[in-house]
């Protein structure tokens, strides 16, 4: 799914212009990101839950050279689908 896909769906369902639909899709994505930063997660009922998880620092390997590389601790996003989504797919 892309922003262009979201824009198209918004435009077709509301009958608004492409510029307005693009702005709405951008605002929707920005609102989801803000919510995840603020609360550490976001739930769409009947779709699933997005959650932010911390990752530990670890050792990795450069696949090209084979040398060991240190990977810093960080954050990642996880998704858990709802039972309704699992049945639909």
């Amino acid at each position: 799914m892309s922003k262009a896909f979201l824009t198209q769906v918004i435009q077709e369902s509301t009958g608004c212009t492409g510029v307005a639909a693009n702005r709405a899709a951008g605002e929707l994505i920005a609102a989801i990101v803000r919510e995840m930063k603020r609360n550490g997660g976001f739930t769409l009922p009947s779709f699933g839950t997005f959650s932010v998880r911390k990752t530990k620092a670890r050792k990795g390997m450069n696949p090209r050279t084979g040398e060991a590389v240190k990977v810093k601790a960080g954050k990642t996003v996880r998704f858990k689908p709802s039972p309704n989504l699992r049945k639909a797919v």
Side-chain angles (χ1 to χ4, degrees):
M1 184 183 312
S2 64
K3 185 177 175 186
F5 176 77
L6 288 175
T7 299
Q8 181 183 1
V9 170
I10 292 170
Q11 184 178 7
E12 290 173 358
S13 65
T14 62
C16 65
T17 64
V19 173
N22 190 25
R23 187 177 306 130
E27 288 297 321
L28 175 65
I29 293 168
I32 290 171
V33 170
R34 278 193 307 271
E35 185 69 18
M36 290 180 71
K37 283 183 177 180
R38 188 178 323 143
N39 295 328
F42 179 75
T43 300
L44 286 171
S46 300
F47 186 72
T49 302
F50 296 88
S51 60
V52 178
R53 301 263 175 111
K54 293 181 180 179
T55 59
K56 296 180 180 180
R58 59 185 169 83
K59 293 181 183 178
M61 187 184 340
N62 182 335
R64 183 174 292 173
T65 62
E67 73 178 88
V69 178
K70 292 182 182 178
V71 179
K72 295 180 181 179
K75 295 180 183 178
T76 187
V77 177
R78 302 269 175 106
F79 175 71
K80 181 180 178 187
S82 72
N84 293 343
L85 180 61
R86 289 180 192 206
K87 287 179 186 176
V89 176

